[in-house]
């Protein structure tokens, strides 16, 4: 397996953040207005949670707070693994939330199943 591409170091992955926001917003907020089924809304919200983890796993660089590729898996393996672990936890939380709100919730109004 080859190492991460050195040309990616310091590059912005803000496009991935906007994809994350678009998937979450479409699934969580606009899903009902667009006529999406509960299953499709859940799938979009869950997919949004996987964007940070997939970006880091594919590029080989951990993203910092501004979604820039900072720490690669060869030079900073501990930081890379911690950030990948955090991204995996976020993905699991999004998946659980999507299941809880859209699939396991009663088939009534979605707004009543979300605790504000």
């Amino acid at each position: 397996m080859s190492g991460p591409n050195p040309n990616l170091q310091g590059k912005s992955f803000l496009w991935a953040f906007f994809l994350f926001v678009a998937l979450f917003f479409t699934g969580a907020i606009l899903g009902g207005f667009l006529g999406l089924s509960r299953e499709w809304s859940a799938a979009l919200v869950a997919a949004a949670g996987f964007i940070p983890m997939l970006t880091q796993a594919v590029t080989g660089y951990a993203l910092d707070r501004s979604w820039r590729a900072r720490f690669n898996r060869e030079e900073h393996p501990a930081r890379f693994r911690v950030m990948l672990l955090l991204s995996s936890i976020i993905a699991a939380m999004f998946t659980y939330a999507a299941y809880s709100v859209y699939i396991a919730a009663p088939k009534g109004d979605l707004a009543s199943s979300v605790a504000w």
Side-chain angles (χ1 to χ4, degrees):
M1 177 181 237
S2 65
N5 183 350
N7 295 329
L8 294 178
Q9 178 109 26
K11 297 288 184 187
S12 174
F13 283 88
L14 200 56
W15 62 267
F17 175 74
F18 289 119
L19 178 61
F20 167 80
V21 170
L23 286 174
F24 179 77
F25 187 72
T26 302
I29 311 261
L30 292 178
F33 295 115
L34 296 175
L36 294 177
S37 68
R38 295 169 70 95
E39 291 81 12
W40 275 106
S41 293
L44 289 175
V45 171
F50 282 92
I51 297 294
M53 183 189 70
L54 289 174
T55 303
Q56 295 177 105
V58 169
T59 63
Y61 284 92
L63 302 176
D64 64 6
R65 288 178 286 200
S66 60
W67 288 65
R68 290 197 172 274
R70 292 287 181 216
F71 313 110
N72 72 33
R73 65 178 169 236
E74 292 178 350
E75 293 176 8
H76 305 282
R79 286 185 177 179
F80 177 77
R81 287 184 189 122
V82 166
M83 295 305 289
L84 197 59
L85 176 66
L86 289 174
S87 296
S88 299
I89 291 169
I90 289 170
M93 289 171 47
F94 269 70
T95 303
Y96 177 74
Y99 174 78
S100 301
V101 172
Y102 295 102
I103 306 299
K107 297 292 182 197
D109 182 25
L110 283 178
S112 65
S113 64
V114 178
W116 298 100

